[in-house]
């Protein structure tokens, strides 16, 4: 009897924060933060961005701070 065939493994996702060579996420760096916001202005999920738990928290806090200072828009509520 033949052994069951295995599914080929997926290549690992590139982590956006690590690929951009950023040590620290800053709320004033709008271009970097826009990568982690959807078209509707929502913060992208961790599984979509490929960030670690700590990095996702830092990005979310930076986005919220940037919104507070009016550098980024809040999520649109229009339907």
């Amino acid at each position: 009897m033949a052994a069951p065939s295995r599914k080929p493994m997926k290549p690992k996702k590139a982590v956006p924060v690590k690929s951009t060579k950023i040590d620290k996420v800053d709320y004033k760096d709008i271009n970097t933060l826009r990568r982690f916001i959807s078209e509707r202005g929502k913060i992208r999920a961790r599984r979509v961005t490929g960030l670690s738990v700590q990095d996702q928290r830092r990005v979310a806090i930076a986005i919220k701070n940037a919104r507070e200072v009016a550098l980024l828009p809040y999520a649109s509520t229009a339907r």
Side-chain angles (χ1 to χ4, degrees):
M1 233 195 217
S5 62
R6 293 186 182 206
K7 213 176 185 182
M9 292 181 62
K10 284 186 186 179
K12 289 236 179 197
K13 252 193 246 182
V15 179
V17 171
K18 304 292 185 210
S19 65
T20 55
K21 305 286 191 275
I22 296 173
D23 297 334
K24 177 176 124 173
V25 181
D26 191 21
Y27 74 94
K28 293 173 271 188
D29 192 7
I30 302 304
N31 294 328
T32 305
L33 293 179
R34 284 201 187 269
R35 294 181 190 169
F36 303 105
I37 299 177
S38 69
E39 291 179 8
R40 291 182 154 191
K42 297 181 178 181
I43 300 173
R44 292 190 189 271
R46 208 182 127 233
R47 64 185 175 89
V48 175
T49 60
L51 296 173
S52 67
V53 176
Q54 293 87 357
D55 289 336
Q56 181 70 17
R57 276 199 197 116
R58 286 186 196 119
V59 166
I61 290 169
I63 289 172
K64 289 175 184 179
N65 287 341
R67 286 176 174 166
E68 190 71 26
V69 185
L71 297 174
L72 286 175
Y74 283 93
S76 63
T77 57
R79 289 190 179 191

